[in-house]
DNA sequence: CGTAGTTTTGAACAACGTCAACGGCTGTGG
DNA sequence: CCACAGCCGTTGACGTTGTTCAAAACTACG
């Protein structure tokens, strides 16, 4: 059982559609769970027994081929929803990129609850439509953009999404990525070497600074947008 | 006003969730519209004034860069839903690949109707979740698969989806694609030349036959699945 | 038959991947 | 506090895949 009153994403997650009584009912079904960086919450092809809201941290959705190649197909932040309601199995695996905390529900119970709460279902629909838009733009990036365009697009999107999280709004230009080079490569459909070379080149061209492994400071946002294509 | 009683996708489209009275109400808001091959129904960045169900034909969802590169991010068949409810603007353009017919609604009216009909909204949610799964698998294809794997995956998926349409179920192996080489290339994130070469090579290897420009006959499905990765 | 559009084929090229070595943090234990 | 090991990121040389550019073959259609 979860105490929704103290929930940090109370107003941003899909739960925002519920009144106090409804929230209490849903809260009884959910429980908070901590997830360590690297730990996997849901496996690809799994029965997808749970759904969850992200309270804290960042998780990735990964699809793999039989021979071990990986593509990250989604990155989720606090207040985002994870899992696959109304489906037989999870089409991807969900792994924490940082230490994280989620509010977890049995999938069947959640589906039943959702069926009786149209407002919740509408919020979920809106979120899913947004995710679909994002996925489709990402498809354009994967299918048609060059390495430099990919990296530039990625940095711009991340700077926006991280700012949206309210984490590092102080300076809109600089931010800390919640993941390393290999994971950037898995997001962009590149190798780690190509990713690294592109970043190095951008630094050489004065487009950005790399104060530490995971920090990015965009010096020339206009040029970066130009480069993103 | 639309006569839903004669609708060919009555039982497969999201409208299947409605009872006769509700259907009559929705029918009053919709109208049938024919779309010629090549004609665009919705533009990228548009105000997205309409949503629709596909009655007949095949349409593509396209995202373009400023310099004219195109990526097809979705292909819709009869009974599929198109448009972007609850959004400010359409994130891609929707163009008919064959002559088509759609059942079209004003977006605002549709949203209001949906708000009062949770079952309809749930059907739409399920459909959107399915589309999202499909888009994410497609991302893996775009980001991590080789040209031959892309073409093989594409042919297998198309053979399944076209069979699902009930069009050409007679022989599960052979089917007619509703589009040409350039559009296959735009789906797979390849050039038309690479696509053509891969198909030619597969024919040389005996994996398939190409009786005419748009016909495909898969001879060795197992080998094709192997090749899809 | 001729023409326009599409597809196939060929040759040269560029971008990105692969393989391998190196460098520089980070954390740990002496 | 220093030394060292391990990991992650960077850099370089080279190979492969897919793109580009050009031209020929095919198809549909008047």
């Amino acid at each position: 059982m979860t105490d929704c009153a103290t929930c940090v994403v109370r107003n941003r997650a899909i739960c925002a559609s519920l009144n106090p009584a409804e929230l209490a009912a849903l809260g009884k079904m959910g429980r908070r769970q901590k997830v360590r960086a690297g730990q996997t919450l849901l496996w690809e092809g799994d029965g997808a027994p749970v759904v969850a809201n992200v309270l804290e941290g960042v998780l990735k959705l990964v699809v793999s081929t039989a021979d071990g190649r990986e593509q990250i197909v989604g990155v989720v932040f606090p207040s985002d929803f994870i899992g696959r309601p109304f489906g037989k199995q999870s089409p991807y695996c969900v792994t924490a990129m940082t230490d994280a905390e989620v509010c977890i529900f049995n999938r069947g119970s959640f589906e039943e609850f959702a069926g009786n709460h149209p407002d919740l279902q509408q919020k979920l629909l809106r979120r899913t439509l947004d995710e679909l838009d994002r996925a489709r733009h990402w498809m354009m990036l994967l299918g048609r953009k060059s390495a430099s365009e990919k990296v530039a697009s990625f940095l711009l999107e991340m700077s926006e999404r991280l700012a949206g999280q309210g984490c590092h709004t102080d300076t809109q230009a600089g931010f800390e990525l919640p993941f390393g080079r290999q994971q950037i490569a898995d997001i962009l459909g590149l190798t780690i070497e190509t990713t690294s070379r592109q970043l190095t080149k951008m630094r050489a061209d004065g487009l950005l600074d790399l104060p530490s492994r995971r920090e990015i400071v965009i010096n020339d946002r206009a040029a970066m947008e130009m480069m993103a294509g």
Side-chain angles (χ1 to χ4, degrees), chain A:
Chain A
M1 139 110 215
T2 298
D3 179 11
C4 299
T6 68
C7 178
V8 287
V9 299
R10 165 81 180 88
N11 298 312
R12 288 184 293 150
I14 53 173
C15 317
S17 60
L18 303 173
N19 65 37
E22 294 170 323
L23 199 62
L26 183 63
K28 269 204 198 95
M29 296 165 31
R31 68 173 204 281
R32 291 195 187 176
Q33 185 170 317
K34 295 210 181 271
V35 192
R36 304 229 58 120
Q39 202 181 328
T40 296
L41 201 63
L42 235 49
W43 275 265
E44 185 176 352
D46 206 2
V50 299
V51 300
N53 282 310
V54 180
L55 302 180
E56 208 186 302
V58 185
L59 299 93
K60 61 179 176 179
L61 317 183
V62 180
V63 178
S64 314
T65 53
D67 61 342
R69 283 170 285 175
E70 293 197 348
Q71 175 67 46
I72 295 183
V73 298
V75 178
V76 292
F77 290 97
S79 86
D80 285 340
F81 180 85
I82 50 183
R84 179 54 167 96
F86 312 115
K88 282 143 282 286
Q89 52 174 42
S90 175
Y92 42 76
C93 85
V94 179
T95 303
M97 305 179 92
T98 65
D99 287 349
E101 188 175 9
V102 298
C103 176
I104 213 169
F105 303 92
N106 171 285
R107 185 167 64 87
S109 318
F110 178 84
E111 283 172 12
E112 192 191 332
F113 185 90
N116 297 322
H117 296 83
D119 288 353
L120 180 80
Q121 213 160 65
Q122 186 179 92
K123 271 239 180 308
L124 187 54
L125 173 58
R126 285 168 181 264
R127 231 165 233 283
T128 308
L129 285 162
D130 285 344
E131 267 308 309
L132 184 55
D133 287 351
R134 203 198 305 278
R136 283 175 165 158
H137 259 96
W138 206 330
M139 286 171 64
M140 147 58 82
L141 176 145
L142 290 169
R144 292 298 187 202
K145 290 194 178 178
S146 69
S148 54
E149 290 172 322
K150 284 180 177 180
V151 173
S153 306
F154 167 77
L155 293 175
L156 289 169
E157 174 162 348
M158 277 303 142
S159 104
E160 276 162 37
R161 285 189 80 180
L162 288 169
Q165 286 305 114
C167 302
H168 304 270
T169 330
D170 46 348
T171 151
Q172 48 168 244
F175 52 95
E176 182 174 349
L177 294 174
F179 30 64
R181 295 288 183 272
Q182 180 60 62
Q183 292 176 321
I184 300 178
D186 286 343
I187 288 173
L188 299 178
L190 297 172
T191 58
I192 185 174
E193 293 95 332
T194 302
T195 307
S196 177
R197 276 187 253 266
Q198 292 300 330
L199 286 169
T200 305
K201 179 156 192 314
M202 286 179 180
R203 183 179 50 186
D205 295 347
L207 275 174
L208 49 74
D209 289 328
L210 304 169
S212 76
R213 288 186 162 186
R214 300 193 162 195
E215 273 178 284
I216 306 274
V217 180
I218 299 179
N219 288 329
D220 189 341
R221 204 175 189 84
M224 188 73 82
E225 274 158 12
M226 192 61 59
M227 178 169 264

